[in-house]
């Protein structure tokens, strides 16, 4: 049996037709019928007794969702395996190359990963009823292999104890001002799917010349897109060049002295799909968990606790958060990210270090 080859390098050596497509585009749509949660599915899932979830969602949020699922479906345990999106991708690649099938459901903040997994034929088509009924076409794969579990933007931010609102940068261009030298923190695309996607969008819209100039600002380089908001809150740096909007919401709501800036050039748009695998060791529990993830209950939880943006119309956002539709966004293009990811990592690392 031929094993799936799912490294980015091998994908890039194959057909490049994907580069012109959207992550949710399909030449021949073959979506399965919508799947409701039935007593039969619940019973089959309980016989399996567990589900394994690989994710790049912040661990406290992923664990809250897991606990809510376990409370709703007693007898089914969720094992959360959390790490950065690029490491999630590498882990699954290594496991599948060794015929180790441990993961049931995956979430990644790098939507390009799903292009690879779908292309290699290792995703299981499954269309939760809520996705079929309520999700916009552009946020669900027409073949039913994945859908946007969460969305957010990559933002600038500042520590309000260290920077006055009137002095805070309003744009990416303003981060190049010499006054911010040695005061900026930034995450890395080799670890974070959010930053991989954001780096692509910014290099496309602002040019690599922007990053060349930013690298001269003596930037503190960290890994995850969750790290800059934390460094900001601790006062280790006064400004962040990028980071998760949702982590900034969480920091603000617990009283940290941080503020979000939506750059005048536009904020990179990030989507984090969910999918399940054909070789999932717990296929029924995987289906049940996938359906739960897209339910109003789980989506509201991810918004309230995690600060994530939901595509489910039943979800109500907390007061004080800027409405998603009012934010100027850069255009996402996961297929282009997939094509250029190795180049992005290499070029970025040359400027900022590994």
């Amino acid at each position: 049996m031929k094993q799936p080859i799912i490294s980015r390098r091998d994908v890039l050596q194959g057909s490049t037709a994907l580069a012109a497509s959207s992550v949710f585009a399909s030449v021949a749509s073959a979506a399965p019928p919508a799947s409701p949660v039935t007593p039969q599915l619940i019973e089959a899932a309980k016989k399996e007794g567990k589900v394994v979830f690989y994710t790049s969602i912040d661990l406290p949020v992923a664990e809250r969702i897991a606990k809510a699922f376990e409370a709703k479906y007693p007898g089914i345990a969720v094992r959360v395996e959390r790490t950065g999106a690029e490491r999630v991708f590498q882990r699954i690649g290594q496991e599948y190359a060794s015929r180790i099938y441990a993961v049931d459901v995956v979430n990644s903040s790098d939507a390009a990963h799903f292009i690879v997994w779908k292309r290699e034929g290792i995703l299981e088509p499954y269309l939760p009823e809520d996705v079929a009924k309520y999700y916009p076409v552009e946020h669900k794969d027409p073949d039913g292999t994945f859908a946007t579990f969460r969305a957010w933007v990559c933002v600038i931010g500042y520590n309000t104890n260290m920077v006055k609102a009137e002095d805070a940068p309003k744009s990416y261009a303003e981060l190049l001002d010499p006054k911010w030298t040695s005061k900026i923190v930034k995450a890395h695309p080799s670890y974070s799917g959010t930053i991989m996607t954001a780096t692509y969008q910014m290099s496309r819209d602002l040019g690599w010349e922007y990053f060349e100039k930013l690298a001269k600002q003596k930037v503190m380089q960290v890994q995850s897109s969750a790290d800059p908001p934390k460094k900001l809150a601790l006062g280790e740096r006064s400004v962040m060049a990028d980071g998760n909007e949702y982590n900034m919401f969480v920091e603000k709501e617990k009283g940290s002295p941080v503020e979000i800036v939506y750059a005048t050039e536009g904020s990179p748009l990030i989507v984090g799909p969910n999918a399940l695998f054909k070789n999932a060791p717990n296929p029924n529990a995987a289906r049940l968990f996938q359906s739960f993830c897209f339910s109003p209950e789980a989506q509201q939880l991810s918004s309230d606790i995690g600060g994530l943006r939901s595509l489910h119309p039943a979800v109500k956002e907390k007061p004080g958060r800027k409405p998603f539709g009012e934010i100027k966004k850069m255009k996402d293009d996961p297929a282009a990210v997939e094509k250029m990811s190795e180049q992005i990592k290499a070029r970025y690392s040359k400027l900022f270090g590994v």
Side-chain angles (χ1 to χ4, degrees):
M1 178 179 175
K2 185 178 183 291
Q3 291 304 301
I5 300 172
I6 57 178
S7 72
R8 289 185 185 274
R9 184 179 300 278
D10 289 330
V11 169
L12 300 185
Q13 290 173 344
S15 171
T16 59
L18 285 170
S21 67
S22 162
V23 69
F24 295 99
S26 177
V27 175
S29 178
S35 296
V37 172
T38 63
Q40 292 81 7
L41 177 61
I42 297 171
E43 184 61 28
K46 286 186 175 181
K47 286 180 179 178
E48 292 168 353
K50 65 179 179 180
V51 61
V52 180
F53 185 37
Y54 286 13
T55 181
S56 60
I57 299 171
D58 278 1
L59 186 59
V61 181
E63 288 183 336
R64 284 292 295 271
I65 292 170
K67 293 299 182 186
F69 175 84
E70 291 172 346
K72 186 169 185 176
Y73 301 107
I76 309 173
V78 182
R79 193 177 88 211
V80 175
E81 297 281 351
R82 195 274 167 193
T83 189
E86 301 308 309
R87 292 184 181 176
V88 168
F89 182 81
Q90 291 165 8
R91 177 176 179 177
I92 291 173
Q94 291 165 356
E95 289 179 349
Y96 265 65
S98 301
R99 300 191 183 190
I100 297 171
Y101 307 123
V103 58
D104 290 307
V105 180
V106 68
N107 175 276
S108 174
S109 57
D110 187 341
H113 294 162
F114 296 82
I115 293 176
V116 180
W117 291 325
K118 180 182 176 181
R119 178 179 180 270
E120 295 302 326
I122 62 174
L123 296 183
E124 177 70 14
Y126 180 73
L127 186 61
E129 193 169 44
D130 278 283
V131 173
K133 285 183 176 180
Y134 303 116
Y135 276 61
V137 172
E138 64 270 23
H139 286 284
K140 54 188 176 185
D141 172 44
D143 298 315
T145 59
F146 55 88
T148 298
F149 168 74
R150 54 184 176 135
W152 63 100
V153 287
C154 192
V155 297
I156 296 172
Y158 63 96
N159 181 300
T160 57
N161 289 340
M162 303 169 76
V163 180
K164 296 179 180 178
E166 58 268 28
D167 297 329
K170 305 299 188 296
S171 66
Y172 290 113
E174 289 183 23
L175 291 175
L176 304 180
D177 191 309
K179 72 180 181 180
W180 302 122
T181 302
S182 300
K183 296 180 180 179
I184 299 172
V185 60
K186 191 182 183 312
H188 204 294
S190 289
Y191 179 88
S192 167
T194 292
I195 305 306
M196 169 64 75
T197 298
T199 303
Y200 166 74
Q201 292 180 29
M202 292 172 64
S203 64
R204 177 197 62 200
D205 294 1
L206 308 179
W208 274 102
E209 296 81 4
Y210 172 76
F211 288 107
E212 290 168 2
K213 294 174 182 176
L214 185 64
K216 296 176 182 177
Q217 290 285 69
K218 297 181 181 179
V219 173
M220 173 191 281
Q221 183 66 68
V222 293
Q223 289 187 331
S224 171
S225 61
D227 291 338
K230 295 172 185 176
K231 296 293 185 184
L232 209 62
L234 292 170
E236 293 185 28
R237 283 293 188 274
S238 58
V239 174
M240 70 179 201
D242 57 26
N244 278 326
E245 176 194 45
Y246 57 84
N247 287 112
M248 290 292 281
F249 284 149
V250 171
E251 290 292 345
K252 283 186 67 176
E253 288 165 8
K254 70 180 184 182
S256 297
V258 299
E259 189 56 71
I260 294 170
V261 174
Y262 298 100
T264 56
E265 298 96 337
S267 298
L269 171 64
I270 320 293
V271 297
N274 260 35
L276 51 92
F277 289 89
K278 286 183 178 178
N279 287 321
N282 307 289
N284 294 295
R287 292 181 178 91
L288 186 61
F289 185 72
Q290 180 79 329
S291 288
F292 178 77
C293 283
F294 289 97
S295 68
E297 179 183 352
Q299 288 288 303
Q300 189 67 60
L301 187 62
S302 69
S303 175
D304 290 346
I305 303 301
L308 295 159
R309 306 289 191 159
S310 173
L311 283 306
H312 200 303
V315 172
K316 306 299 181 185
E317 295 210 24
K318 283 186 177 181
R321 294 178 182 172
K322 186 169 185 175
F324 204 44
E326 294 180 9
I327 299 170
K328 181 181 178 181
K329 307 176 192 71
M330 293 183 178
K331 186 180 184 298
D332 65 326
D333 190 348
V337 174
E338 171 55 38
K339 181 184 177 184
M340 299 181 67
S341 61
E342 297 300 333
Q343 177 186 334
I344 290 169
K345 288 179 184 178
R347 195 162 183 177
Y348 185 95
S349 294
K350 187 175 180 180
L351 292 173
F352 291 92
V354 176

